[in-house]
């Protein structure tokens, strides 16, 4: 378990950029994000985007059976509001980052950092933070061990979104090793 204050800011910024860039502006449920996702999905004719916040994802991780139905979503929304009342935004991020699944039987950012990079999460680069954030939505598809090219593509998306939101500069991205050669040889 990694305390919030020990988590690298680049990791937090990568998570916010990809999963919930209005995290600090809502109380657990982002109606703007839900409407944006609905519009995108209607236009695409399929589910392309989700509207869940980090807090909703934490509620789903901790308390639901993860079945896709309206009842589960309503329960998740109620739990989300309860989590937001009880915990600070920092505590929510800490709980989420210490519990998410990265594939390969790995849970939490410290274990993932050790598994993929052979070092503590405190020592990861911006590019490594981008990979860690890229993996959880689809651990098999974005595993740097199984799907190197997909992992690399998703890493670039995360880095570009971080730059767009002002979390990193082009220079910081350029100085951070982005190739996947630094991945620890675990397989």
């Amino acid at each position: 378990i990694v305390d919030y204050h020990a988590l690298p800011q680049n990791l937090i910024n990568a998570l916010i950029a990809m999963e919930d860039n209005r995290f600090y502006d809502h109380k657990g449920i982002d109606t703007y994000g839900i409407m944006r996702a609905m519009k995108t999905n209607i236009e695409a004719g399929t589910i392309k985007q989700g509207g869940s916040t980090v807090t909703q994802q934490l509620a789903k991780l901790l308390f639901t059976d993860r079945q896709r139905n309206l009842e589960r979503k309503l329960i998740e929304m109620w739990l989300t509001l309860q989590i937001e009342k009880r915990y600070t935004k920092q505590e929510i991020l800490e709980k989420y980052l210490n519990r998410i699944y990265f594939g390969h039987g790995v849970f939490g950012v410290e274990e993932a950092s050790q598994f993929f990079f052979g070092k503590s999460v405190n020592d990861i680069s911006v590019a490594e933070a981008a990979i860690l954030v890229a993996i959880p939505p689809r651990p098999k598809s974005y595993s740097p061990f199984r799907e190197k090219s997909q992992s690399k593509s998703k890493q670039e998306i995360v880095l570009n979104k971080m730059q767009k939101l002002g979390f990193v500069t082009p220079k910081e991205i350029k100085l951070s090793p982005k190739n996947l050669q630094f991945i620890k040889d675990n397989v």
Side-chain angles (χ1 to χ4, degrees):
I1 302 292
V2 181
D3 182 81
Y4 174 83
H5 299 290
L7 292 166
Q9 190 61 49
N10 281 324
L11 178 66
I12 293 166
N13 290 343
L15 176 66
I16 298 297
M18 284 309 293
E19 296 297 327
D20 189 358
N21 61 23
R22 294 172 33 82
F23 178 72
Y24 296 105
D25 300 326
H26 60 68
K27 299 222 185 287
I29 298 169
D30 183 4
T31 51
Y32 173 79
I34 292 168
M35 298 309 254
R36 182 198 66 241
M38 280 178 44
K39 181 180 182 275
T40 300
N41 295 339
I42 290 168
E43 288 172 354
T46 186
I47 305 237
K48 291 287 220 179
Q49 199 174 80
S52 292
T53 65
V54 169
T55 312
Q56 285 176 284
Q57 292 176 43
L58 179 61
K60 181 169 54 174
L61 273 172
L62 295 176
F63 302 114
T64 70
D65 58 13
R66 300 186 198 167
Q67 290 183 13
R68 296 183 90 147
N69 61 46
L70 182 60
E71 181 182 354
R72 195 255 325 147
K73 198 66 174 170
L74 292 172
I75 291 168
E76 177 187 300
M77 291 172 109
W78 182 81
L79 290 167
T80 295
L81 296 173
Q82 302 314 303
I83 289 169
E84 284 276 342
K85 284 180 189 175
R86 180 170 181 155
Y87 298 105
T88 66
K89 292 290 188 175
Q90 291 177 343
E91 290 170 323
I92 291 166
L93 289 170
E94 177 184 299
K95 289 175 186 322
Y96 180 81
L97 287 167
N98 280 298
R99 285 176 174 79
I100 54 176
Y101 181 63
F102 290 88
H104 306 281
V106 174
F107 290 86
V109 291
E110 179 62 30
E111 188 177 349
S113 183
Q114 294 288 344
F115 182 78
F116 291 112
F117 312 125
K119 59 184 167 182
S120 173
V121 72
N122 299 319
D123 299 323
I124 63 173
S125 69
V126 173
E128 290 164 333
I131 287 177
L132 288 181
V133 166
I135 296 170
R138 293 179 46 206
K140 286 183 182 175
S141 299
Y142 297 130
S143 167
F145 296 142
R146 291 187 180 134
E147 301 293 339
K148 204 170 194 171
S149 65
Q150 284 185 286
S151 181
K152 176 82 173 132
S153 295
K154 190 67 172 185
Q155 177 194 44
E156 289 296 325
I157 290 168
V158 175
L159 290 169
N160 288 336
K161 188 120 186 232
M162 288 176 74
Q163 182 181 334
K164 180 181 172 189
L165 293 171
F167 291 139
V168 292
T169 65
K171 184 178 179 181
E172 289 172 307
I173 292 172
K174 192 174 186 175
L175 292 175
S176 185
K178 287 185 291 210
N179 68 30
L180 298 180
Q181 301 306 314
F182 58 84
I183 297 293
K184 183 179 165 195
D185 187 18
N186 280 327
V187 194

